[in-house]
Amino acid sequence: MPPTIADTTGSPRTEKPHINVMLAAPRGFCAGVRRAIDAVEDALSSHGAPVYVRRPIVHNLAVVRSLESKGAVFIEELDQAPEGAVVILSAHGVAPSVWREAEQRNLQVYDAVCPLVAKVHREVERHQRNGRKIILIGHAGHPEIEGTLGRLSPDSAFLVRDVEDVRRLPLTDDVPAAYAVQTTYSVDDAQMIIAALRAQFSDLEEPATSDICYATTNRQAAVRTLARSADAIIVVGEQFSSNARRLAEVAADSCALVQLVAGASELDWALLPPSGSIGVTAAASTPESSVQEVLDALCERFHIDVEAMDASAETTAFKRVAVG
Ligand code: SF4
């Protein structure tokens, strides 16, 4: 849906340079992020405040602050919630050890793990039961990777992030192996790594469909298209969001002026051209209000014509977390 753009300055049109803004489609919230936010809001309605949330429910501070204002309390670990409290687990998924700790502390837990992350959990657990070595393509330290690795024994799981890591794997070429991919990984990077795995292992089981989720795939494809024609790209999202960082990296393959900003106050005006076109996209965890804030800031400096990319709407929707 094209945004509402208002030139709030009231200054004559000739005083400001003209620029075209292309809005990526799709951009912003995915079905997993919506479901996780709904889970916190539903828990607040059913149980009242406070509702504790382990880690940022999704990787966006505007979302976190908004939920805090409604009574959510964000914690790093479960021992920060009082005994018996209501706790929501984030969309990124957790290791089984977190569930054990919740049980010991008598917490009432609702799991907002994205169903597409849970699908990867089931895959890797099946590979482990079948005695395969699991090669996980992902970024060390990301909560999704911690949650996935946390359900595998250390001698059967190996994390790789590039082709060099594949070459260094301490595995024989004929070992029964399988791979899985972080849902927000770069589609292009994953393809290179998967090609290296196929070349190296003679008995490699692959996911039936890509582990990289529809939202990541669609947003990366849209920004790739945009970056080929725009003079600059603005990715609206957090530096600590894997999804947002990958969008900026994909854009940087085709466009020299790329910036990743959480909101308008972080815009670097030196990275915007004096005329021409700017592409704007947003990570799967970024609310549309942050995009609108950036557009409003652009309006202060430029006369802008906004055009939205033509794309079919995403129809994926997940069942709400059963809260009550
Ligand atoms: S980015 Fe993909 S895996 Fe992550 S919450 Fe959204 S749909 Fe789920």
Side-chain angles (χ1 to χ4, degrees), residues 30-33 91 114 116-117 144 183-184 213-216 243 284 318:
C30 61
V33 161
C114 176
L116 301 180
V117 175
E144 180 184 325
T183 56
T184 52
C213 75
Y214 79 96
T216 299
N243 192 287
F318 300 129

Side-chain angles (χ1 to χ4, degrees), residues 98-324:
V98 174
W99 277 100
R100 286 195 291 274
E101 186 186 352
E103 222 166 89
Q104 282 159 11
R105 308 208 49 245
N106 199 25
L107 300 172
Q108 187 169 351
V109 175
Y110 298 107
D111 193 357
V113 61
C114 176
L116 301 180
V117 175
K119 182 197 92 160
V120 175
H121 290 171
R122 289 193 297 276
E123 265 172 31
V124 296
E125 284 167 342
R126 179 171 58 80
H127 294 316
Q128 180 164 257
R129 279 196 305 277
N130 293 341
R132 288 185 179 270
K133 300 294 184 190
I134 298 133
I135 299 150
L136 187 56
I137 300 170
H139 295 282
H142 188 277
E144 180 184 325
I145 290 299
E146 286 177 2
T148 306
L149 284 178
R151 51 196 68 232
L152 301 172
S153 71
D155 62 343
S156 68
F158 302 84
L159 182 65
V160 297
R161 55 170 299 171
D162 54 30
V163 170
E164 281 310 304
D165 285 349
V166 172
R167 297 202 178 106
R168 284 193 288 262
L169 282 168
L171 298 170
T172 56
D173 298 354
D174 58 351
V175 71
Y179 73 81
V181 189
Q182 183 176 335
T183 56
T184 52
Y185 214 73
S186 153
V187 172
D188 292 341
D189 291 353
Q191 271 168 1
M192 279 191 289
I193 298 167
I194 291 166
L197 290 170
R198 286 176 183 151
Q200 188 157 322
F201 293 100
S202 56
D203 181 7
L204 181 71
E205 192 166 330
E206 309 200 22
T209 54
S210 173
D211 290 334
I212 299 179
C213 75
Y214 79 96
T216 299
T217 306
N218 293 349
R219 280 152 191 70
Q220 287 182 14
V223 80
R224 189 179 295 112
T225 302
L226 213 51
R228 287 185 187 134
S229 58
D231 297 299
I233 293 285
I234 299 170
V235 178
V236 189
E238 302 282 0
Q239 291 288 345
F240 65 95
S241 158
S242 168
N243 192 287
R245 290 177 71 96
R246 298 296 83 75
L247 288 179
E249 286 170 10
V250 169
D253 285 343
S254 317
C255 180
L257 300 175
V258 178
Q259 54 185 307
L260 170 59
V261 299
S265 63
E266 292 182 7
L267 278 171
D268 182 347
W269 298 99
L271 289 176
L272 295 179
S275 62
S277 64
I278 300 172
V280 177
T281 189
S285 49
T286 303
E288 189 63 12
S289 56
S290 299
V291 176
Q292 185 62 50
E293 190 190 289
V294 165
L295 294 174
D296 289 344
L298 291 175
C299 270
E300 295 283 330
R301 298 262 184 142
F302 300 99
H303 286 291
I304 68 173
D305 282 333
V306 180
E307 203 184 324
M309 271 178 86
D310 215 11
S312 48
E314 289 177 334
T315 53
T316 303
F318 300 129
K319 214 169 119 196
R320 280 171 110 95
V321 177
V323 173

